[in-house]
């Protein structure tokens, strides 16, 4: 039933999020988020720092439970799922964390090998070959023997991406895969992401700040708001629709314009930067010094 | 406090499942990891336990000799050293050493893994942290705490022998026979039971606090301190309760 939903682009829905709400204390980090991700999509989540992108991803992978709302992955409701069923489902997706989250006690190669050792019956030689191949794909040939503490932030990111792709999962989540990478590596990682959807037919959900990446790889895009629109989707659509989107905050984000349009949050942010104050009050030199 | 208790009992519940139910559902204990932890938690604590136990044995012998000499009853020194060591001091002192050396490092390690998203990464890779991290540490602690305690008893007895032999001029045979004369199997059983209980307390507290760290590197530091304080208090209270239990 690919054509039964108006916003279907490629195939059946892989992820369906409905009225997702999440509070941390009194802070509403997600406030009624709804969207669908279809098979073969490269679904981009963009938005300002702290707007809840990583939190949204955490809910999608089931490590955080929402305050209310529903999340279906591969047609299964995960918000109420029991641990064992959730674990089965997790064999079908990979996740690249914002910090990489490589296991510090293992080498880079061991990190990439881990999902293969745990979830396949491959023999050691074959695992070695796969690991080499995955490391090569992310440009880390020759770094497999190093500990995560011995490589740079960008390299960690790429190693973590290799680990997330180790089992060739049909669904991949990726939290700022290109943050901290140089332009060439950014292009390499973007190309890898594109190859996932185009060659393997995987579905990818990417959080990114990088506007070049967004329009290079995205097939559908949502933007989360900040300030008064915190936790809500302020724009969604195809790259063309987003480029032409009338919402001032969207245009401001795309153009990297600090003044932006008439949007309150942008205006506020701008003034705060100039005046050195934020919503919690003025920055005071003595207050900061007295804390340390 | 209430949140921490809830987290603690949740961990204990999970642990029971992963210790006793999961192995029958095709998720066996990870023996390799357990050995690695036995080395880290247990073997590396040996030198410090030895040194501490030796000083305790020496001090016990000197202290009791000073008192018993007034009654002309220094023959009771070996018995006093052995019974205090076996029932009270060796389990307690070993637990204190293990808390400072191994409990704190378990909390710091798990806390660091938590704030760097490593624990979440394990979950998402469908590798349950309970099976990968917690069960091996639990098994290692529950095996090593009693073993370290037995070891401490021997070293402590050696410390007592040093004083008895060189200062009180007892023969080694006399020291050994008198040291063993007042020890019943029941005492050894109580000593080991205590150390087992301490082991369970220390490792579950260390893991629970470590897994629930929040607030970055600063949070890890605070959690490590809290883990040591809570473990020490729990062990001292448990010791009093257990001693009272077998006293009456
Ligand atoms: N565990 C948590 N407890 C309290 N607040 C949190 C927690 N995780 C995230 N937040 C808050 O949620 C907001 C969104 O965070 P995040 O999803 O990391 O933003 P980003 O869009 O930059 O990835 C932030 O204001 C952050 O302070
Ligand atoms: Mg983030």
């Amino acid at each position: 039933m690919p054509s039964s939903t108006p916003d279907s682009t490629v195939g059946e829905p892989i992820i369906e999020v409905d009225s997702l709400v999440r509070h941390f204390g009194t802070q509403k980090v997600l406030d009624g988020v709804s969207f669908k991700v279809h098979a073969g999509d490269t679904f981009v989540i963009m938005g300002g720092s702290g707007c809840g992108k990583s939190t949204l991803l955490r809910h999608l992978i089931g490590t955080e439970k929402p305050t209310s709302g529903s999340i279906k992955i591969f047609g299964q409701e995960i918000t109420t799922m029991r641990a064992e069923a959730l674990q089965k489902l997790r064999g079908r997706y990979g996740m690249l964390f914002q910090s990489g989250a490589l296991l510090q006690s293992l080498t880079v190669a061991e990190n990439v090998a881990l999902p293969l050792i745990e979830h396949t019956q491959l023999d050691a030689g074959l695992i070695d070959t796969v690991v080499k191949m995955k490391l090569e794909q992310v440009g880390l040939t020759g770094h497999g023997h190093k500990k995560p503490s011995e490589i740079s932030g960008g390299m960690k990111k790429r190693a973590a991406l290799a680990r997330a792709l180790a089992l060739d999962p049909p669904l991949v989540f990726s939290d700022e895969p290109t943050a901290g990478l140089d332009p060439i590596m950014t292009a390499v990682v973007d190309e890898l992401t594109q190859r996932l959807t185009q060659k393997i037919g995987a579905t990818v959900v990417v959080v990114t700040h990088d506007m070049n990446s967004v329009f290079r790889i995205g097939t559908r895009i949502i933007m989360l708001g900040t300030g008064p629109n915190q936790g809500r989707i302020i724009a969604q659509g195809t790259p063309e629709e987003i480029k032409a989107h009338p919402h001032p905050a969207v245009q401001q984000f795309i153009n990297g314009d600090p003044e932006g349009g008439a949007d309150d949050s942008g205006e506020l942010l701008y003034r705060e930067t100039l005046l050195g104050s934020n919503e919690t009050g003025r920055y005071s030199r003595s207050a900061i010094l007295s804390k340390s | 406090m209430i949140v921490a208790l809830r987290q603690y009992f949740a961990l204990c519940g999970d642990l029971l499942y992963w210790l006793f139910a999961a192995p029958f559902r095709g998720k066996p204990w990870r023996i390799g990891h357990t050995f690695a932890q036995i080395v880290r938690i247990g073997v590396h604590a040996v030198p410090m336990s030895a040194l501490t136990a030796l000083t305790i044995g020496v001090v016990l012998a000197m202290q009791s000799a000073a008192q018993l000499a007034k009654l002309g009853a220094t023959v009771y020194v070996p018995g006093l050293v052995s019974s205090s060591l076996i029932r009270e001091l060796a389990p307690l002192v070993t637990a204190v050493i293990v808390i400072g050396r191994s409990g704190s490092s378990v909390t710091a390690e798990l806390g660091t893994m938590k704030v760097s998203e490593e624990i979440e990464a394990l979950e998402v890779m469908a590798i349950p942290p309970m099976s990968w991290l917690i069960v091996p540490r639990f098994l290692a602690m529950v095996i090593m705490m009693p073993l370290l305690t037995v070891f401490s008893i021997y070293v402590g007895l050696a410390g007592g022998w040093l004083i008895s032999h060189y200062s009180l001029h007892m023969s080694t045979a006399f020291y050994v026979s008198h040291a063993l004369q007042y020890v019943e199997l029941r005492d050894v059983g109580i000593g080991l039971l205590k150390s087992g209980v301490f082991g369970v307390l220390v490792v579950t507290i260390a893991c629970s606090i470590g897994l629930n760290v929040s607030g970055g590197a600063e949070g890890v530091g605070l959690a490590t301190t809290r883990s040591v304080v809570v473990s020490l208090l729990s062990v001292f209270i448990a010791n009093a309760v257990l001693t009272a239990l077998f006293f009456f």
Side-chain angles (χ1 to χ4, degrees):
Chain A
M1 36 161 248
S3 57
S4 65
T5 45
D7 59 348
S8 106
T9 49
V10 192
E12 62 198 280
I14 298 284
I15 303 176
E16 295 165 85
V17 177
D18 190 25
S19 326
L20 189 65
V21 175
R22 177 61 198 260
H23 301 196
F24 283 116
T26 55
Q27 187 190 5
K28 261 191 186 171
V29 175
L30 297 173
D31 186 10
V33 172
S34 305
F35 60 85
K36 281 183 184 148
V37 180
H38 297 270
D41 264 344
T42 300
F43 190 89
V44 174
I45 301 168
M46 58 182 213
S49 194
C51 70
K53 305 183 295 296
S54 298
T55 307
L56 178 56
L57 273 195
R58 287 211 165 87
H59 283 84
L60 297 183
I61 60 175
T63 53
E64 291 270 0
K65 296 281 177 226
T67 308
S68 68
S70 130
I71 302 168
K72 283 190 185 137
I73 309 268
F74 298 119
Q76 300 179 49
E77 178 67 50
I78 62 160
T79 50
T80 52
M81 200 177 255
R82 290 187 47 231
E84 249 166 80
L86 191 56
Q87 212 193 321
K88 274 224 182 68
L89 193 64
R90 280 175 175 156
R92 296 169 68 189
Y93 54 78
M95 163 92 181
L96 165 65
F97 284 87
Q98 189 166 0
S99 66
L102 296 172
L103 297 178
Q104 300 291 320
S105 55
L106 304 180
T107 65
V108 168
E110 285 167 345
N111 264 288
V112 180
L114 188 57
L116 297 161
I117 294 169
E118 287 289 316
H119 299 304
T120 68
Q121 307 297 326
L122 302 181
D123 63 65
L126 212 50
I127 289 183
D128 238 32
T129 314
V130 176
V131 169
K132 281 220 177 73
M133 197 181 80
K134 296 291 173 190
L135 285 177
E136 194 197 326
Q137 282 183 344
V138 295
L140 284 178
T141 306
H143 296 285
H145 63 282
K146 292 182 182 161
K147 282 283 175 73
S149 55
E150 296 163 354
I151 59 177
S152 77
M155 289 160 86
K156 276 183 207 157
K157 266 282 168 59
R158 286 183 279 146
L161 183 60
R163 183 179 69 181
L165 302 181
L167 292 171
D168 293 321
L171 175 59
V172 177
F173 297 98
S174 192
D175 197 348
E176 302 196 13
T178 58
L181 299 191
D182 61 54
I184 295 168
M185 269 307 150
T186 303
V188 168
V189 168
D190 280 349
E191 206 190 298
L192 191 64
T193 312
Q194 267 176 320
R195 203 161 55 201
L196 282 176
T197 53
Q198 287 164 3
K199 296 259 165 65
I200 309 174
T203 308
V204 184
V205 178
V206 192
V207 165
T208 184
H209 278 138
D210 184 333
M211 292 324 292
N212 290 327
S213 286
V214 168
F215 294 119
R216 190 153 48 194
I217 62 175
T219 59
R220 280 200 77 79
I221 300 167
I222 61 171
M223 178 161 173
L224 296 178
T226 47
N229 291 318
Q230 168 83 49
R232 292 194 207 112
I233 296 177
I234 55 171
Q236 61 178 316
T238 62
E240 286 66 39
E241 286 166 353
I242 293 291
K243 268 182 194 156
H245 203 279
H247 200 297
V250 178
Q251 287 309 318
Q252 184 193 356
F253 201 79
I254 294 175
N255 301 323
D257 175 4
E259 266 185 278
D263 178 59
D264 295 355
S265 63
E267 194 73 16
L268 209 63
L269 190 74
Y270 180 51
R271 284 213 206 96
E272 279 165 11
T273 324
L274 277 188
L275 299 176
S277 71
N278 67 0
E279 66 272 20
T280 58
R282 280 180 181 281
Y283 291 125
S284 115
R285 189 181 155 79
S286 60
I288 293 173
L289 288 180
S290 67
K291 269 191 183 162
S292 55
Chain B
M1 176 73 188
I2 289 175
V3 176
L5 272 178
R6 190 163 347 110
Q7 288 165 345
Y8 178 75
F9 288 114
L11 176 92
C12 291
D14 276 1
L15 192 55
L16 283 176
Y17 170 81
W18 284 99
L19 276 174
F20 300 114
F24 299 103
R25 296 182 167 207
K27 290 168 226 158
W29 296 348
R30 292 175 190 265
I31 304 299
H33 287 224
T34 307
F35 269 106
Q37 292 305 319
I38 283 180
V39 172
R40 248 199 55 200
I41 288 180
V43 178
H44 288 167
V46 164
M48 213 172 147
S49 301
L51 191 64
T52 316
L54 190 76
T55 61
I56 299 259
V58 167
V59 168
L60 261 179
M62 290 194 297
Q63 187 62 29
S64 51
Q67 301 299 320
L68 291 171
K70 293 176 195 158
L71 308 168
T74 50
V75 290
Y76 292 115
V77 168
L80 234 154
V81 170
S82 65
S83 57
S84 334
L85 270 175
I86 289 170
R87 281 190 64 148
E88 287 297 328
L89 286 171
L92 197 60
V93 167
T94 307
V96 171
I97 299 291
V98 169
I99 289 169
R101 225 203 137 282
S102 311
S104 60
S105 96
V106 165
T107 302
E109 186 196 21
L110 293 179
T112 307
M113 292 184 76
K114 168 83 193 222
V115 300
S116 63
E117 300 177 313
E118 284 176 55
I119 304 236
E120 241 178 305
L122 279 174
E123 275 174 35
V124 175
M125 286 189 281
I127 302 171
M130 287 306 287
S131 135
W132 179 267
L133 296 169
I134 308 303
V135 168
R137 281 164 179 72
F138 180 86
L139 292 174
M141 184 68 91
V142 171
I143 292 168
M144 289 314 283
M145 188 75 103
L147 284 183
L148 278 172
T149 302
V150 170
F151 173 74
S152 296
I153 291 171
Y154 277 108
V155 177
L157 285 175
W161 171 84
L162 282 177
I163 298 300
S164 306
H165 187 66
Y166 290 106
S167 171
L168 306 176
H169 307 296
M170 291 177 194
S171 76
T172 304
F174 181 90
Y175 177 78
V176 172
S177 71
H178 277 74
L180 296 183
Q181 193 178 342
Y182 301 97
V183 180
E184 292 169 29
L185 203 57
R186 185 184 133 90
D187 296 327
V188 179
I190 291 172
L192 290 183
L193 173 74
K194 275 186 176 177
S195 73
V197 171
F198 296 164
V200 170
L201 279 174
V202 171
V203 73
T204 47
I205 290 169
C207 288
S208 171
I209 294 181
L211 285 178
N212 291 299
V213 164
S214 61
E218 195 186 359
V220 175
L222 292 174
T224 307
T225 310
R226 190 162 61 239
S227 163
V228 169
V229 171
V230 174
S231 299
L232 281 175
L233 279 177
S234 317
V235 160
F236 285 131
I237 292 171
N239 185 50
V241 170
L242 286 171
T243 302
L245 213 63
F246 293 109
F247 179 78
F248 296 112

